[in-house]
Amino acid sequence: MMIGAIAFMAPWLLGALVLLPVLWWLLRAVPPSPARRAFPGVRLLLGLLDRERIPDKTPWWLLLLRMVALAAAILAFSGPVLNPRGNGAEGPLVILIDGGWADAPDWTARMSRIADALEGAAQDGRPSAVLSLATVPPAEAVLPLRAAQEWAGRLAGLSPEAWGPDRAAWVAWIAGLEGDFETLWLTDGVTDGAEADLARALLERGPVTVVPPRREAMALTPPRLEDGNLVVSALRADTAGPRMASVTAIGPDPNGVERVLGAASGSFEAGAATIDLALDLPLELRNRVSRVALVEARSAGGVVLADDSVRRRKVGLLSGRASGEGQELIDPLHYLRNALEPFAEVIEAPLIDMLGAVPDVLVLADVGTFTEGERAALTEWVENGGLLLRFAGPRLAASGAGQLEADPLLPVRLRAGGRSLGGAMSWGAPRRLQAFPEDSPFVGLVLPEDVDVSAQVMAQPDPDLPDKVIASLEDGTPLVTAASLGDGRVILVHVTANAEWSSLPLSGLFVRMLERLTQSAGSLGAETEDLDGVTWTPLQVLNGFGDLTSPSLVAGVPGADLAGTAPSADMPPGIYASGDRRAALNVLRSGATLSPLAALPAGITLETRDAAEETPLAPWLIAVALMLLAIDVIATLLVSGRFRMGRQAAAVLFSLMLLAPGTADAAMSEAEALRAANETVLAYVETGNARVDDVSRAGLLGLSTALHTRTAIEPGDPAAVNLETDDLALFPFLYWPITEGQATPSDAAYAKLNDFLRFGGLILFDTQDAQLGGSLGANTPNGRVLQRIALRLDVPPLEPVPADHVVTRTFYLLQDFPGRWMGAPVWVEAAPEQAEDIDGMPFRNLNDGVTPVVIGGNDWASAWAISEAGQPLFAVGRGIAGERQREMALRFGVNLIMYVMTGNYKSDQVHVPALLDRLGQ
């Protein structure tokens, strides 16, 4: 890159060497001007260059010094740039990004690299195209070439998909293209078997540069139950060295608010591609887990959804026979216990006591009658969502329940007596089972040949009976019936739970039927092998970052596809439903592995690091020219013999101090400090990244303009703050964008920051990546930098902004806090425990003062940023919705600054009832 900069400056340097002797001759040929004495302030410096005071024979080294100084000045005004974005290349530029879940943890850096490439293409005037390999190739084999500036404006709308790239499909599409082009391929580093073919197809069209990920991908396989623990397997593609892996189990608390319910961590050993992580949780917490997520890499592959196939349900058992009656094999509960214990938590107790334990399923074996208290409690439990599973038997048949009138605790009315082999209503032979209907929860189960029924209770042939039958015998006689009761269900198996009336309890089908019914309690899931033969509809789907969202234009999918096909745009990972059954489709299936890319063909250029940042050289060349001229002044004094200590020497030394590069920016100037003390000035922390700092300044300029036009606050121009040298007490608010390469502040800077936080200042930390998770940033590179920086800050406990926080209503009424991105949670100081609801008030007395920190990742500066002409600098969303998002981002900024300036004045309204009460006294 340095060679390129030298080659760029070489023509200017040669021109300067030709012109310098001519300019120097002209300087010596012009007679001394008497006008010089009219300006005493510059008399000294002009006198030093007077040809009459310089010896006739100027030393060659002094002449060379002046020529170099003048050459540096000429080069500076030519505007040289180190590592320019444009490299003079011609022809189209095609930017490929794998675009799947494995790109999500590094998405911000990937978009930044694409933006740099598009900026270079714009400087060279090259048409460009940006394509995601995780999408379906266009119908026509034509590159969607557009101006690079147009593609740059679309980057904000790009996001990773929740499935992997289909490189094989793109190989065929690229083979059909016409014309040559250069390719920049940003790969996720995970193989799908087609990367070598894709690379060869691209090489046939022109040069190819591959940009590998900064970190290899990590993912999880679906959770499973092992020894009472919830276990997930963490996978990685790079096995070169040890690496930590941590997961959190997330689910709703009793109030429905999602929280972290447990965590586990482990370490990959060198060479290991898989590690098992076990979450040891109590049954109550384990049953609440909705998903398990990797802490290290937030993506759809790093999140696995837990359906009810991994939850042990709580099942209550009650028999109509007295305890200890009969032998074990004729005990109605014997077969039920053995069938349920592998996948359910079985409890046995009196009916009222079991209802108090809130079981998911209650199984009654030949229970005929209930007391009034038991009936009322049982009915209420079912109506609230419980599943009551009843088995028939002699007691139920003799009780008369449901014979004269409908019984809500039975799904159908029953006939008196029953049907048995050799009885009044007799069969000539035992009956076998009929195939289960399509709408039955048992559909797909295999019917054993040896299961038959010799006796049963019969259902009255009411008009609605066919709608309640979910299993029947080969002659059409109902075997299992079901009906809804409130939010719950009542199911009756018309035979006994033991082998007295049928051989069903002796078969494996009995276990599978109980498992299906138990899993369906509370919208439970199905095992993978049970998905076939049913159409499944998505309820919630994962996006590329691993967040659950509502499905969009996703139709029902066949169970065979859900069971064996990889996720795609037509079938994204998520939670799918069929009736009361729920099933989770995750990015990876059990037993999956991750492998790195296969060897790419020769001719591929591998980019080993990010593109170097564009650096203007003009300031440095001007500084060099001024320094050389200052040295020339001293040298001229020495050569002429006029070097004297005194005022002239002091003036020269003072000039050197002024010309020394970097000293002017070492600390905030006195004028800037005075302005900050006399005006309201919004400040941002300098990161050392010129682009980020420019965006921060433009963002605060946009926010200051909005405050000036909409509120009584009239901020001055934004100020840049150097944490090491500047006084933070001059500012009420600091915007701190977090970048991956940001250095940790010194001890002195931490002391100033903590004083700033303790005495009323507020810092808005912005990771700019829209990926700040519940663990406060551990999921992203910028988030981990934030955690490192925040370790020594005096930061209070935090929580997501509650709906009744003061910042939601200081000026505008807000519910969301978007920036250029939206969706990331925003964190503030947690409310004190004593913050309770106040009668008559719509909110609590939260944060008696101002939260010292606000943390988020929505890139607010980019949404606020305006040019000097007042025009927005960056695209936010698309069309009208994007402008609405920008407006909401500005409203959040206005609310935040009003909150900083006025504190909790609106929260003070909670004291109004007490004040009115005292005034009334």
PDB file of all heavy atoms in Angstrom, residues 225 228 283 286-287 308-314 340-346 360:
ATOM      1  N   LEU A 225     -32.954 -34.271  26.701  1.00  0.00           N
ATOM      2  CA  LEU A 225     -32.943 -34.589  28.127  1.00  0.00           C
ATOM      3  C   LEU A 225     -32.002 -35.761  28.383  1.00  0.00           C
ATOM      4  O   LEU A 225     -32.106 -36.808  27.749  1.00  0.00           O
ATOM      5  CB  LEU A 225     -34.352 -34.952  28.604  1.00  0.00           C
ATOM      6  CG  LEU A 225     -35.327 -33.790  28.804  1.00  0.00           C
ATOM      7  CD1 LEU A 225     -36.688 -34.322  29.174  1.00  0.00           C
ATOM      8  CD2 LEU A 225     -34.821 -32.819  29.860  1.00  0.00           C
ATOM      9  N   GLY A 228     -32.040 -36.079  33.560  1.00  0.00           N
ATOM     10  CA  GLY A 228     -32.736 -34.973  34.199  1.00  0.00           C
ATOM     11  C   GLY A 228     -32.204 -33.604  33.851  1.00  0.00           C
ATOM     12  O   GLY A 228     -32.747 -32.602  34.323  1.00  0.00           O
ATOM     13  N   LEU A 283     -37.252 -28.859  37.809  1.00  0.00           N
ATOM     14  CA  LEU A 283     -38.281 -29.199  36.841  1.00  0.00           C
ATOM     15  C   LEU A 283     -39.111 -27.989  36.446  1.00  0.00           C
ATOM     16  O   LEU A 283     -39.407 -27.778  35.273  1.00  0.00           O
ATOM     17  CB  LEU A 283     -39.188 -30.294  37.423  1.00  0.00           C
ATOM     18  CG  LEU A 283     -40.386 -30.697  36.547  1.00  0.00           C
ATOM     19  CD1 LEU A 283     -39.913 -31.308  35.254  1.00  0.00           C
ATOM     20  CD2 LEU A 283     -41.305 -31.646  37.316  1.00  0.00           C
ATOM     21  N   ARG A 286     -37.021 -25.877  34.149  1.00  0.00           N
ATOM     22  CA  ARG A 286     -36.717 -26.575  32.903  1.00  0.00           C
ATOM     23  C   ARG A 286     -37.929 -26.586  31.978  1.00  0.00           C
ATOM     24  O   ARG A 286     -37.797 -26.460  30.758  1.00  0.00           O
ATOM     25  CB  ARG A 286     -36.265 -27.993  33.211  1.00  0.00           C
ATOM     26  CG  ARG A 286     -35.736 -28.742  31.990  1.00  0.00           C
ATOM     27  CD  ARG A 286     -35.132 -30.070  32.369  1.00  0.00           C
ATOM     28  NE  ARG A 286     -36.112 -31.015  32.837  1.00  0.00           N
ATOM     29  CZ  ARG A 286     -36.077 -31.650  34.001  1.00  0.00           C
ATOM     30  NH1 ARG A 286     -35.093 -31.420  34.849  1.00  0.00           N
ATOM     31  NH2 ARG A 286     -37.015 -32.503  34.346  1.00  0.00           N
ATOM     32  N   ASN A 287     -39.097 -26.700  32.542  1.00  0.00           N
ATOM     33  CA  ASN A 287     -40.300 -26.732  31.722  1.00  0.00           C
ATOM     34  C   ASN A 287     -40.652 -25.366  31.144  1.00  0.00           C
ATOM     35  O   ASN A 287     -41.502 -25.263  30.262  1.00  0.00           O
ATOM     36  CB  ASN A 287     -41.475 -27.260  32.535  1.00  0.00           C
ATOM     37  CG  ASN A 287     -41.396 -28.758  32.737  1.00  0.00           C
ATOM     38  OD1 ASN A 287     -40.610 -29.433  32.096  1.00  0.00           O
ATOM     39  ND2 ASN A 287     -42.206 -29.275  33.644  1.00  0.00           N
ATOM     40  N   ASP A 308     -41.947 -28.996  23.321  1.00  0.00           N
ATOM     41  CA  ASP A 308     -42.316 -29.754  24.513  1.00  0.00           C
ATOM     42  C   ASP A 308     -41.841 -31.192  24.493  1.00  0.00           C
ATOM     43  O   ASP A 308     -42.081 -31.939  25.435  1.00  0.00           O
ATOM     44  CB  ASP A 308     -43.834 -29.700  24.698  1.00  0.00           C
ATOM     45  CG  ASP A 308     -44.299 -28.280  24.939  1.00  0.00           C
ATOM     46  OD1 ASP A 308     -43.709 -27.617  25.800  1.00  0.00           O
ATOM     47  OD2 ASP A 308     -45.220 -27.826  24.257  1.00  0.00           O
ATOM     48  N   SER A 309     -41.145 -31.586  23.415  1.00  0.00           N
ATOM     49  CA  SER A 309     -40.591 -32.935  23.388  1.00  0.00           C
ATOM     50  C   SER A 309     -39.460 -33.089  24.390  1.00  0.00           C
ATOM     51  O   SER A 309     -39.074 -34.211  24.701  1.00  0.00           O
ATOM     52  CB  SER A 309     -40.089 -33.267  21.981  1.00  0.00           C
ATOM     53  OG  SER A 309     -39.053 -32.381  21.597  1.00  0.00           O
ATOM     54  N   VAL A 310     -38.897 -31.987  24.900  1.00  0.00           N
ATOM     55  CA  VAL A 310     -37.802 -32.090  25.864  1.00  0.00           C
ATOM     56  C   VAL A 310     -38.251 -31.690  27.267  1.00  0.00           C
ATOM     57  O   VAL A 310     -37.422 -31.494  28.149  1.00  0.00           O
ATOM     58  CB  VAL A 310     -36.615 -31.216  25.433  1.00  0.00           C
ATOM     59  CG1 VAL A 310     -36.028 -31.714  24.135  1.00  0.00           C
ATOM     60  CG2 VAL A 310     -37.004 -29.745  25.326  1.00  0.00           C
ATOM     61  N   ARG A 311     -39.531 -31.542  27.439  1.00  0.00           N
ATOM     62  CA  ARG A 311     -40.028 -31.159  28.767  1.00  0.00           C
ATOM     63  C   ARG A 311     -40.684 -32.354  29.448  1.00  0.00           C
ATOM     64  O   ARG A 311     -41.500 -33.058  28.849  1.00  0.00           O
ATOM     65  CB  ARG A 311     -41.049 -30.027  28.650  1.00  0.00           C
ATOM     66  CG  ARG A 311     -40.486 -28.800  27.972  1.00  0.00           C
ATOM     67  CD  ARG A 311     -41.541 -27.720  27.913  1.00  0.00           C
ATOM     68  NE  ARG A 311     -41.092 -26.623  27.063  1.00  0.00           N
ATOM     69  CZ  ARG A 311     -41.842 -25.575  26.757  1.00  0.00           C
ATOM     70  NH1 ARG A 311     -43.071 -25.510  27.218  1.00  0.00           N
ATOM     71  NH2 ARG A 311     -41.372 -24.627  25.993  1.00  0.00           N
ATOM     72  N   ARG A 312     -40.341 -32.605  30.665  1.00  0.00           N
ATOM     73  CA  ARG A 312     -40.991 -33.660  31.445  1.00  0.00           C
ATOM     74  C   ARG A 312     -42.259 -33.061  32.040  1.00  0.00           C
ATOM     75  O   ARG A 312     -42.205 -32.124  32.830  1.00  0.00           O
ATOM     76  CB  ARG A 312     -40.058 -34.167  32.540  1.00  0.00           C
ATOM     77  CG  ARG A 312     -38.896 -34.978  32.011  1.00  0.00           C
ATOM     78  CD  ARG A 312     -37.995 -35.444  33.142  1.00  0.00           C
ATOM     79  NE  ARG A 312     -38.679 -36.364  34.035  1.00  0.00           N
ATOM     80  CZ  ARG A 312     -38.756 -37.677  33.844  1.00  0.00           C
ATOM     81  NH1 ARG A 312     -38.202 -38.218  32.777  1.00  0.00           N
ATOM     82  NH2 ARG A 312     -39.378 -38.458  34.701  1.00  0.00           N
ATOM     83  N   ARG A 313     -43.377 -33.599  31.611  1.00  0.00           N
ATOM     84  CA  ARG A 313     -44.654 -33.095  32.084  1.00  0.00           C
ATOM     85  C   ARG A 313     -44.987 -33.683  33.441  1.00  0.00           C
ATOM     86  O   ARG A 313     -44.543 -34.788  33.796  1.00  0.00           O
ATOM     87  CB  ARG A 313     -45.768 -33.428  31.089  1.00  0.00           C
ATOM     88  CG  ARG A 313     -45.432 -33.144  29.640  1.00  0.00           C
ATOM     89  CD  ARG A 313     -44.833 -31.783  29.437  1.00  0.00           C
ATOM     90  NE  ARG A 313     -45.769 -30.732  29.751  1.00  0.00           N
ATOM     91  CZ  ARG A 313     -45.417 -29.455  29.863  1.00  0.00           C
ATOM     92  NH1 ARG A 313     -44.166 -29.105  29.702  1.00  0.00           N
ATOM     93  NH2 ARG A 313     -46.324 -28.553  30.156  1.00  0.00           N
ATOM     94  N   LYS A 314     -45.750 -32.954  34.194  1.00  0.00           N
ATOM     95  CA  LYS A 314     -46.192 -33.418  35.517  1.00  0.00           C
ATOM     96  C   LYS A 314     -47.566 -34.075  35.349  1.00  0.00           C
ATOM     97  O   LYS A 314     -48.528 -33.415  34.957  1.00  0.00           O
ATOM     98  CB  LYS A 314     -46.269 -32.241  36.479  1.00  0.00           C
ATOM     99  CG  LYS A 314     -46.513 -32.657  37.923  1.00  0.00           C
ATOM    100  CD  LYS A 314     -46.694 -31.433  38.805  1.00  0.00           C
ATOM    101  CE  LYS A 314     -45.450 -30.586  38.853  1.00  0.00           C
ATOM    102  NZ  LYS A 314     -45.618 -29.436  39.793  1.00  0.00           N
ATOM    103  N   LEU A 340     -45.479 -43.910  31.640  1.00  0.00           N
ATOM    104  CA  LEU A 340     -45.281 -42.460  31.773  1.00  0.00           C
ATOM    105  C   LEU A 340     -43.929 -42.072  32.358  1.00  0.00           C
ATOM    106  O   LEU A 340     -43.399 -41.001  32.045  1.00  0.00           O
ATOM    107  CB  LEU A 340     -46.386 -41.861  32.650  1.00  0.00           C
ATOM    108  CG  LEU A 340     -47.794 -41.836  32.041  1.00  0.00           C
ATOM    109  CD1 LEU A 340     -48.820 -41.483  33.107  1.00  0.00           C
ATOM    110  CD2 LEU A 340     -47.851 -40.831  30.897  1.00  0.00           C
ATOM    111  N   GLU A 341     -43.356 -42.896  33.208  1.00  0.00           N
ATOM    112  CA  GLU A 341     -42.148 -42.489  33.939  1.00  0.00           C
ATOM    113  C   GLU A 341     -40.961 -42.119  33.051  1.00  0.00           C
ATOM    114  O   GLU A 341     -40.187 -41.235  33.404  1.00  0.00           O
ATOM    115  CB  GLU A 341     -41.755 -43.587  34.932  1.00  0.00           C
ATOM    116  CG  GLU A 341     -42.628 -43.576  36.172  1.00  0.00           C
ATOM    117  CD  GLU A 341     -42.262 -44.696  37.145  1.00  0.00           C
ATOM    118  OE1 GLU A 341     -41.445 -45.577  36.739  1.00  0.00           O
ATOM    119  OE2 GLU A 341     -42.784 -44.698  38.272  1.00  0.00           O
ATOM    120  N   PRO A 342     -40.766 -42.699  31.848  1.00  0.00           N
ATOM    121  CA  PRO A 342     -39.610 -42.279  31.034  1.00  0.00           C
ATOM    122  C   PRO A 342     -39.685 -40.838  30.548  1.00  0.00           C
ATOM    123  O   PRO A 342     -38.651 -40.222  30.300  1.00  0.00           O
ATOM    124  CB  PRO A 342     -39.644 -43.261  29.853  1.00  0.00           C
ATOM    125  CG  PRO A 342     -40.390 -44.459  30.357  1.00  0.00           C
ATOM    126  CD  PRO A 342     -41.407 -43.906  31.294  1.00  0.00           C
ATOM    127  N   PHE A 343     -40.882 -40.267  30.411  1.00  0.00           N
ATOM    128  CA  PHE A 343     -40.967 -38.924  29.846  1.00  0.00           C
ATOM    129  C   PHE A 343     -41.833 -37.969  30.664  1.00  0.00           C
ATOM    130  O   PHE A 343     -42.107 -36.842  30.228  1.00  0.00           O
ATOM    131  CB  PHE A 343     -41.519 -38.974  28.415  1.00  0.00           C
ATOM    132  CG  PHE A 343     -42.844 -39.677  28.275  1.00  0.00           C
ATOM    133  CD1 PHE A 343     -44.032 -39.012  28.495  1.00  0.00           C
ATOM    134  CD2 PHE A 343     -42.895 -41.008  27.924  1.00  0.00           C
ATOM    135  CE1 PHE A 343     -45.243 -39.659  28.370  1.00  0.00           C
ATOM    136  CE2 PHE A 343     -44.109 -41.674  27.789  1.00  0.00           C
ATOM    137  CZ  PHE A 343     -45.292 -40.996  28.012  1.00  0.00           C
ATOM    138  N   ALA A 344     -42.274 -38.366  31.848  1.00  0.00           N
ATOM    139  CA  ALA A 344     -43.139 -37.508  32.650  1.00  0.00           C
ATOM    140  C   ALA A 344     -42.798 -37.658  34.123  1.00  0.00           C
ATOM    141  O   ALA A 344     -42.228 -38.665  34.563  1.00  0.00           O
ATOM    142  CB  ALA A 344     -44.605 -37.848  32.407  1.00  0.00           C
ATOM    143  N   GLU A 345     -43.147 -36.626  34.894  1.00  0.00           N
ATOM    144  CA  GLU A 345     -42.998 -36.643  36.352  1.00  0.00           C
ATOM    145  C   GLU A 345     -44.329 -37.101  36.934  1.00  0.00           C
ATOM    146  O   GLU A 345     -45.342 -36.392  36.850  1.00  0.00           O
ATOM    147  CB  GLU A 345     -42.654 -35.236  36.846  1.00  0.00           C
ATOM    148  CG  GLU A 345     -41.973 -35.204  38.189  1.00  0.00           C
ATOM    149  CD  GLU A 345     -40.492 -35.540  38.090  1.00  0.00           C
ATOM    150  OE1 GLU A 345     -39.923 -35.492  36.987  1.00  0.00           O
ATOM    151  OE2 GLU A 345     -39.912 -35.847  39.144  1.00  0.00           O
ATOM    152  N   VAL A 346     -44.357 -38.307  37.488  1.00  0.00           N
ATOM    153  CA  VAL A 346     -45.601 -38.911  37.949  1.00  0.00           C
ATOM    154  C   VAL A 346     -45.812 -38.604  39.425  1.00  0.00           C
ATOM    155  O   VAL A 346     -44.901 -38.759  40.247  1.00  0.00           O
ATOM    156  CB  VAL A 346     -45.590 -40.438  37.716  1.00  0.00           C
ATOM    157  CG1 VAL A 346     -46.863 -41.072  38.268  1.00  0.00           C
ATOM    158  CG2 VAL A 346     -45.445 -40.738  36.232  1.00  0.00           C
ATOM    159  N   ASP A 360     -49.863 -31.072  34.675  1.00  0.00           N
ATOM    160  CA  ASP A 360     -50.207 -30.790  33.287  1.00  0.00           C
ATOM    161  C   ASP A 360     -51.299 -31.729  32.802  1.00  0.00           C
ATOM    162  O   ASP A 360     -52.141 -31.347  31.982  1.00  0.00           O
ATOM    163  CB  ASP A 360     -48.974 -30.938  32.395  1.00  0.00           C
ATOM    164  CG  ASP A 360     -47.880 -29.973  32.787  1.00  0.00           C
ATOM    165  OD1 ASP A 360     -48.057 -28.767  32.556  1.00  0.00           O
ATOM    166  OD2 ASP A 360     -46.850 -30.419  33.324  1.00  0.00           O
TER     167      ASP A 360
END
